[in-house]
Amino acid sequence: MFEPKQIIEGKIFIHYRRDEMLAIFSQYELPGCYFECFINAQNFIGHFVEVVAEPADHVRVIYIQKHGKNKIIALYNQTQQVIHLHPKQIIFSRWSLLHKGIPNLIYVFCFSIILLFLFFALVAVSNHQFHFFTVFLDALQFSGFGLLLWIFGFICPFVIPFYAFKRIQSLKLLHQLQLNDKQILHMEKLNPQNRIYHLNPVKNTVKRTA
């Protein structure tokens, strides 16, 4: 989104909503909610996987002007402590690298060693030359070289730039919503597919129960 972004705060009044598929990528969609609302006597449209907002909730909204309409691209319901982002937005930092990225790489590495060990073991047995340590070392070497080739041939030139761009884009939005680092880390840990982040789930649970 290269359109100039603007911010508005006030009470939200949703006067129209309907179920409508939300495009994530060119051939991938999720069931979503299109809505129209008033904030400070101005009309806005929004389209997220779902929308959490009651009449007169105080919100902080980032929007762009597209085709003559004010389109919401990020919404912070300050009353209910709920963040709405588009599913394309990705929050990725050192926490994700340490707790998701590296463990996944270790899992892929170990899985490839097991598969290659079984393959080399079958070949060695068929040739009547099975030696455990030789087969294990071959599997280890092939897995290591394969992992390095995958990292430097795919991860570094494609995945890292993509996540770096998405991270910068998302952090700009979150800082415009006036969220602190602790709240952003909490959102990253939640990582819901619908990109609806409940910053205070205990408060929301009590409210729904009441």
Side-chain angles (χ1 to χ4, degrees):
M1 299 177 183
F2 298 98
E3 297 88 349
K5 299 178 178 63
Q6 302 181 57
I7 303 174
I8 189 171
E9 286 190 44
K11 294 182 178 181
I12 186 171
F13 297 90
I14 298 177
H15 58 84
Y16 175 78
R17 68 172 80 195
R18 70 171 182 265
D19 295 334
E20 184 177 295
M21 298 300 290
L22 178 62
I24 309 303
F25 298 105
S26 57
Q27 297 180 344
Y28 179 53
E29 294 181 328
L30 285 175
C33 177
Y34 169 89
F35 64 95
E36 298 179 9
C37 64
F38 288 112
I39 304 174
N40 294 347
Q42 296 185 57
N43 195 37
F44 293 84
I45 63 171
H47 196 186
F48 298 103
V49 174
E50 59 181 288
V51 57
V52 180
E54 297 294 333
D57 277 355
H58 195 274
V59 299
R60 183 177 179 85
V61 166
I62 300 175
Y63 68 98
I64 58 175
Q65 292 183 335
K66 192 171 184 179
H67 305 304
K69 295 182 178 180
N70 297 323
K71 183 178 180 180
I72 298 172
I73 60 173
L75 187 152
Y76 178 18
N77 187 328
Q78 295 172 311
T79 301
Q80 299 192 46
Q81 290 292 293
V82 179
I83 307 289
H84 298 70
L85 297 178
H86 192 279
K88 285 184 179 180
Q89 299 296 332
I90 299 173
I91 305 174
F92 189 89
S93 69
R94 189 189 309 175
W95 187 91
S96 290
L97 179 65
L98 293 176
H99 294 84
K100 295 180 180 179
I102 293 178
N104 286 335
L105 283 178
I106 294 174
Y107 171 78
V108 170
F109 181 66
C110 294
F111 186 70
S112 63
I113 288 178
I114 293 171
L115 286 181
L116 287 173
F117 178 82
L118 294 175
F119 174 75
F120 290 145
L122 289 174
V123 173
V125 169
S126 64
N127 294 329
H128 305 288
Q129 296 178 348
F130 179 77
H131 299 286
F132 177 84
F133 289 106
T134 301
V135 172
F136 179 76
L137 287 175
D138 288 342
L140 186 64
Q141 289 177 354
F142 273 89
S143 298
F145 286 126
L147 184 63
L148 289 175
L149 184 63
W150 185 50
I151 290 175
F152 290 104
F154 178 71
I155 300 294
C156 290
F158 300 108
V159 176
I160 292 179
F162 171 77
Y163 273 95
F165 172 76
K166 284 295 183 181
R167 178 179 183 271
I168 293 172
Q169 188 182 52
S170 298
L171 285 179
K172 284 183 178 179
L173 286 179
L174 297 176
H175 287 148
Q176 284 180 305
L177 292 175
Q178 296 183 347
L179 299 176
N180 57 45
D181 292 338
K182 184 178 179 180
Q183 290 172 314
I184 295 174
L185 178 60
H186 177 66
M187 293 172 64
E188 186 178 6
K189 290 179 180 180
L190 291 175
N191 192 32
Q193 185 183 21
N194 60 12
R195 296 297 186 264
I196 306 297
Y197 302 87
H198 295 267
L199 299 184
N200 193 350
V202 175
K203 178 181 177 181
N204 292 324
T205 302
V206 172
K207 185 175 181 179
R208 286 195 297 268
T209 303

